[in-house]
Amino acid sequence: MNRNDHTPKGLEPGLLMYKYKYEDEESHWFHAHRGIEILYIYNGHGEIMVENQTYPIQDHTLVWFQPYQLHQVMVPPAPNRSYIRTNLTFDPSFLEHYLTAFPFLEKFFRNMWKGTLQRPVFYAMNNTPILDLLEELHHSVNDSAANKEEDTGFLMLQLMRLLQKQVSDVQTEDNPIQSRGGSHVERITDWLDEHYKQPFSLETLAASLHLSPYHISHLFKQYAGITLSEYLIQRRVREACILLANTGNSIQEIAVEVGDLSPSYFSQMFKKIKGISPDQYRKSIR
């Protein structure tokens, strides 16, 4: 596993890390971050893999990586060609208090943070104000003024607003279910999120919501596009990623924590979703 030395090494809560317009002949790295990472590629070719989906790299590509989302960037060497990019990695809490006065922008940000993106890669961004804003953000981050954090927060709000305008054609969802379903599906989702650590019983869910088991299964699959079991697996793996990144708990302990699972089944489930083992994932976190 090759890792580029210029990649940000970590993220303290409430802070951001910014590396502006730096260059290499090639790059090969494979990891996940605790925070959100925005990667802007000015020049480069190769491939980006996000959660087992592969996207081609083009000049002026913007990529949005969600927290704990495993991704791989592969830029091979090429004659007379460099890989030039900007990396912005930040804890989502950095923006939360700035967004309270902007409910629609806050909803967009939360969707990008926690929702399901149809694709995380956006092309042909060179004809947008984002380029100038990234440069302005570079100057703000490196400023020593007393109001540095406030200026940076304001520029981050502007960046989110520009992204909101640019990616409006790409649907996002609050989670894999909520934005597509009615009140019943939202109640099902809330119940699953509250009880995912317990062994699942469709009969218990149905009794709690006063719906028939068949109706729940049919409605959920119709609006979510996945089964109840598939949603539970995704929810448990998402929680496992947080525990793998932020605790020293053993695989066995995490398997019990996210659903009272056996270590072997948990590892099998995790690898099916992430493509690597829990131990490999833990080593990939930065």
Side-chain angles (χ1 to χ4, degrees), residues 7-11 29 31-37 65-71 87 89 245 281 284-286:
T7 308
K9 296 296 184 183
L11 182 66
W29 41 268
H31 63 228
H33 288 290
R34 294 179 175 86
I36 292 169
E37 178 186 358
F65 299 116
Q66 294 172 317
Y68 306 103
Q69 189 172 54
L70 197 65
H71 53 277
N87 279 94
T89 307
Y281 179 86
S284 74
I285 291 292
R286 293 189 171 189

Side-chain angles (χ1 to χ4, degrees), residues 17-36:
M17 298 184 66
Y18 195 63
K19 292 184 68 67
Y20 179 69
K21 216 167 187 176
Y22 61 108
E23 180 178 357
D24 288 290
E25 294 182 0
E26 61 180 308
S27 183
H28 304 276
W29 41 268
F30 181 68
H31 63 228
H33 288 290
R34 294 179 175 86
I36 292 169

Side-chain angles (χ1 to χ4, degrees), residues 116-222:
T116 299
L117 303 181
Q118 288 187 354
R119 59 179 173 86
V121 178
F122 310 101
Y123 297 106
M125 302 297 284
N126 51 310
N127 294 319
T128 73
I130 288 176
L131 284 173
D132 292 336
L133 188 57
L134 290 176
E135 183 176 0
E136 192 172 355
L137 188 60
H138 166 64
H139 295 305
S140 174
V141 167
N142 290 283
D143 196 356
S144 58
N147 62 343
K148 168 183 173 178
E149 182 175 330
E150 183 176 320
D151 286 346
T152 301
F154 178 69
L155 290 171
M156 290 287 289
L157 284 178
Q158 289 183 280
L159 179 59
M160 291 306 114
R161 178 59 179 145
L162 288 173
L163 287 173
Q164 185 182 32
K165 291 180 178 180
Q166 295 300 320
V167 306
S168 59
D169 61 323
V170 181
Q171 292 183 352
T172 63
E173 305 171 29
D174 294 330
N175 56 47
I177 293 163
Q178 266 185 328
S179 66
R180 296 193 220 167
S183 60
H184 284 326
V185 177
E186 292 180 9
R187 290 169 61 208
I188 294 168
T189 307
D190 290 342
W191 192 94
L192 292 171
D193 286 341
E194 184 179 350
H195 296 90
Y196 73 92
K197 295 183 179 182
Q198 305 164 9
F200 176 63
S201 167
L202 178 57
E203 289 71 25
T204 302
L205 168 60
S208 177
L209 300 185
H210 305 290
L211 299 169
S212 73
Y214 172 80
H215 183 60
I216 285 178
S217 296
H218 179 75
L219 186 69
F220 195 88
K221 180 65 184 293
Q222 178 184 357

Side-chain angles (χ1 to χ4, degrees), residues 30-33 49-53 65-72 233-245 266-282 284-285:
F30 181 68
H31 63 228
H33 288 290
M49 179 178 288
V50 184
E51 302 289 6
N52 296 321
Q53 294 291 320
F65 299 116
Q66 294 172 317
Y68 306 103
Q69 189 172 54
L70 197 65
H71 53 277
Q72 185 172 17
I233 288 174
Q234 292 179 7
R235 181 65 182 86
R236 286 166 171 168
V237 167
R238 190 161 69 246
E239 183 67 18
C241 288
I242 296 173
L243 294 172
L244 287 165
F266 166 73
S267 296
Q268 180 184 10
M269 176 187 75
F270 191 95
K271 189 168 185 178
K272 180 179 180 181
I273 298 296
K274 290 294 183 180
I276 60 174
S277 71
D279 280 328
Q280 289 172 318
Y281 179 86
R282 174 171 264 164
S284 74
I285 291 292

Side-chain angles (χ1 to χ4, degrees), residues 36-89:
I36 292 169
E37 178 186 358
I38 298 174
L39 171 66
Y40 189 96
I41 300 172
Y42 303 86
N43 188 50
H45 74 290
E47 290 182 335
I48 292 176
M49 179 178 288
V50 184
E51 302 289 6
N52 296 321
Q53 294 291 320
T54 302
Y55 305 89
I57 293 174
Q58 301 174 7
D59 292 350
H60 294 287
T61 295
L62 185 143
V63 194
W64 179 285
F65 299 116
Q66 294 172 317
Y68 306 103
Q69 189 172 54
L70 197 65
H71 53 277
Q72 185 172 17
V73 177
M74 298 160 284
V75 179
N80 303 316
R81 187 111 170 136
S82 294
Y83 175 45
I84 305 174
R85 73 281 197 195
T86 286
N87 279 94
L88 168 62
T89 307

